[in-house]
Amino acid sequence: MTERHTERRNGSSNGVREGVPPDSPAAGIHYPAQAERPPVDPNPPYRLPLAGVRVLDMSVFQQGTYASAMLADMGADVIKIEGPNSPDPGRAGGGGDAPNGLSPYFQHLNRNKRGICLDLKHPQGKEAFLKLVETADIFHNNMRPGVLDRLGLTYDVLKTRNPRIILSNATGWGNEGPDAAAQMGSMDVLAQARGGIMSVTGTPESGPLAVGVPFADHVGALVSAFGMMTALWEREQSGEGQVSDTSLYGSQLCIQGLNITAAMWGMPVRGLTADEDRAPHWSRYLCEDGLYLLVGGGQPAKWWADFCEVMGAPELAEGGMPAHVKSDLNRKRRAALQKIFLTKPRDEWLSILRPRFFVQPIADYLEIAEDEQPWANGYLTNMPDPRDPEAPFLPTVGPPVRLSRTPPSIRSAAPEFGQHTEEVLQEAGFDWDEINELREAGAFGDLAQVSG
């Protein structure tokens, strides 16, 4: 296999972002022109779609925090609440800091939020929180079932202070059933395992494999955000809040609804599959330069014969259309195509086959950074450096939704620990004497002792 993109990663400096440490893998990336756009104005000249919505966010790690980050991107005032002795473990998670000294994990999951510190086990800290509930639209958390009961912060308690409040629970296994009664904890890979995705990921030789990213957490976050928005819209009709319950487990089942339904209806579902047993029109292929591409087109009757002609092997179209079944014909076709793909580099094949046929590169993350398409659509964007607004801006993944009049954006970096405590309390009606009283009573701890 050859060195990947040597000419692009280590070539001329044209298009390489300045300010990236020379030892960073990103130092040699050649960004497209769109990547040089500065970060979005923190005060855009339009009203963001969720402006005026306030979310009290007591979630940690990824499932909960990405759900609330999606709302924050849309303009919601998301207030991240952390305990004085229990900051979000994500502050130190995700593999540590990048060469620029920042944590990609925490910054990505907590951008556009404000942060406060409150001890909800402290009587005055709990009362301060309930006062915040009076002005909030959503209280969002991803704690185990039973934790809110022990804190005395059940939905019945919350709605006495604010009948319009929406309680968003993002749990591991759901808020009902034996696992909820047992207060069973969860993690992303556990939901992938029990949720079935691992049973169809991998090959017979590898055995079941977890997806290479926190798939369950992020699908769970999408479903959680959907639940919050649905409850918010219903409240606008009824005037009353309610509880939105979502989970990692339920989210895994919904994303595989076709497979699971088919299995329960007695249909065969493809499990672990070796490359040679995959349908030739739905398979990865290794190219001359050691890079992979993927052919993946439905309705092969519309294009398969033309594809075989362009590949120089019209005989592969004989014998009918390829199908998602194990067969000697499929294996022969795929093996023949693999030999052909090995005769040219991947990008040359892409130039020959796209856009006429359903073919795309199997890209790594740094190749994505060089791709013009995500920058053009805002899927990749820039954010300000939280330590210095004059510093080179930082590339990051942007909101996946575009709105024509009121587009979402990343306007601020993740908050330091407790950064906005006094500001938020003042907005809730606390004066300086009351804030100092809370501080002296230990309602939000000694912020100076906890790093951001």
Side-chain angles (χ1 to χ4, degrees):
M1 295 177 66
T2 61
E3 183 70 21
R4 305 188 62 149
H5 299 305
T6 303
E7 72 285 356
R8 285 192 284 165
R9 296 274 165 82
N10 301 311
S12 70
S13 61
N14 182 34
V16 178
R17 189 181 301 285
E18 297 179 358
V20 178
D23 59 344
S24 167
I29 295 178
H30 286 242
Y31 293 85
Q34 294 96 328
E36 298 308 312
R37 296 171 183 164
V40 172
D41 186 342
N43 299 298
Y46 53 86
R47 181 179 172 84
L48 286 158
L50 292 184
V53 173
R54 172 168 285 188
V55 180
L56 303 180
D57 178 15
M58 205 157 65
S59 64
V60 296
F61 290 123
Q62 298 181 71
Q63 172 199 22
T65 54
Y66 186 59
S68 56
M70 293 180 71
L71 274 56
D73 291 348
M74 293 289 180
D77 179 17
V78 177
I79 300 170
K80 185 176 183 66
I81 301 172
E82 299 172 271
N85 300 310
S86 54
D88 183 347
R91 288 187 177 275
D97 291 345
N100 64 11
L102 294 173
S103 165
Y105 184 102
F106 192 76
Q107 290 294 328
H108 173 68
L109 297 168
N110 294 282
R111 74 268 187 112
N112 287 334
K113 301 179 186 180
R114 295 193 288 172
I116 70 170
C117 179
L118 275 180
D119 185 353
L120 299 189
K121 296 179 181 179
H122 190 288
Q124 288 172 265
K126 178 179 175 180
E127 180 56 33
F129 170 77
L130 289 171
K131 192 165 184 177
L132 294 178
V133 167
E134 295 173 3
T135 65
D137 297 284
I138 300 171
F139 170 41
H140 173 61
N141 76 96
N142 65 336
M143 293 178 286
R144 297 188 192 195
V147 173
L148 292 183
D149 298 81
R150 293 196 296 273
L151 290 172
L153 296 174
T154 62
Y155 179 63
D156 287 340
V157 172
L158 301 178
K159 71 179 182 179
T160 61
R161 303 295 285 261
N162 180 358
R164 291 172 57 83
I165 193 73
I166 292 164
L167 172 59
S168 168
N169 296 319
T171 60
W173 312 108
N175 248 333
E176 303 292 339
D179 291 356
Q183 300 181 12
M184 187 177 294
S186 62
M187 295 296 285
D188 170 89
V189 290
L190 298 176
Q192 288 192 44
R194 187 175 178 183
I197 191 72
M198 289 178 61
S199 73
V200 294
T201 304
T203 67
E205 292 74 27
S206 70
L209 296 174
V211 178
V213 295
F215 178 76
D217 272 341
H218 277 258
V219 174
L222 295 170
V223 172
S224 176
F226 175 71
M228 285 188 274
M229 294 308 302
T230 303
L232 194 64
W233 175 247
E234 191 283 332
R235 191 195 69 181
E236 295 309 299
Q237 320 309 309
S238 68
E240 297 182 27
Q242 61 180 310
V243 180
S244 170
D245 278 328
T246 62
S247 71
L248 294 177
Y249 194 25
S251 302
Q252 285 295 282
L253 302 193
C254 88
I255 206 70
Q256 300 169 87
L258 169 61
N259 278 16
I260 296 171
T261 300
M264 292 190 296
W265 289 8
M267 294 180 65
V269 176
R270 184 178 63 200
L272 304 180
T273 306
D275 273 353
E276 59 267 23
D277 287 324
R278 294 187 180 276
H281 69 301
W282 204 269
S283 191
R284 70 173 184 174
Y285 293 96
L286 181 66
C287 300
E288 182 187 42
D289 53 0
L291 303 181
Y292 285 90
L293 56 73
L294 189 125
V295 178
Q299 299 180 297
K302 295 183 176 182
W303 60 273
W304 176 248
D306 289 344
F307 175 78
C308 294
E309 185 75 34
V310 171
M311 293 297 293
E315 69 279 4
L316 296 181
E318 299 171 3
M321 294 301 108
H324 293 287
V325 295
K326 293 182 179 180
S327 69
D328 289 340
L329 179 59
N330 267 351
R331 293 187 189 96
K332 290 177 181 177
R333 284 169 162 171
R334 192 192 177 283
L337 285 173
Q338 178 57 87
K339 289 182 180 179
I340 297 170
F341 276 116
L342 284 170
T343 64
K344 290 180 174 64
R346 184 193 67 183
D347 289 355
E348 184 175 342
W349 279 120
L350 294 175
S351 67
I352 293 170
L353 298 172
R354 294 194 304 179
R356 184 178 177 186
F357 301 108
F358 296 93
V359 180
Q360 293 294 340
I362 296 180
D364 65 27
Y365 294 151
L366 295 185
E367 286 181 280
I368 293 170
E370 298 176 338
D371 189 344
E372 182 178 347
Q373 190 67 17
W375 290 98
N377 286 279
Y379 307 146
L380 294 180
T381 187
N382 292 305
M383 61 177 283
D385 190 318
R387 302 159 300 186
D388 180 4
E390 301 301 321
F393 40 83
L394 305 171
T396 188
V397 174
V401 176
R402 297 190 77 189
L403 298 177
S404 60
R405 288 189 297 104
T406 57
S409 60
I410 300 178
R411 303 169 302 283
S412 63
E416 298 292 328
F417 183 82
Q419 179 180 347
H420 304 99
T421 302
E422 294 167 343
E423 174 182 297
V424 170
L425 290 175
Q426 282 186 295
E427 291 174 0
F430 290 86
D431 59 31
W432 279 111
D433 289 340
E434 291 171 317
I435 292 172
N436 286 328
E437 182 181 335
L438 289 172
R439 188 197 316 277
E440 291 170 3
F444 48 82
D446 184 357
L447 298 184
Q449 292 183 1
V450 185
S451 60

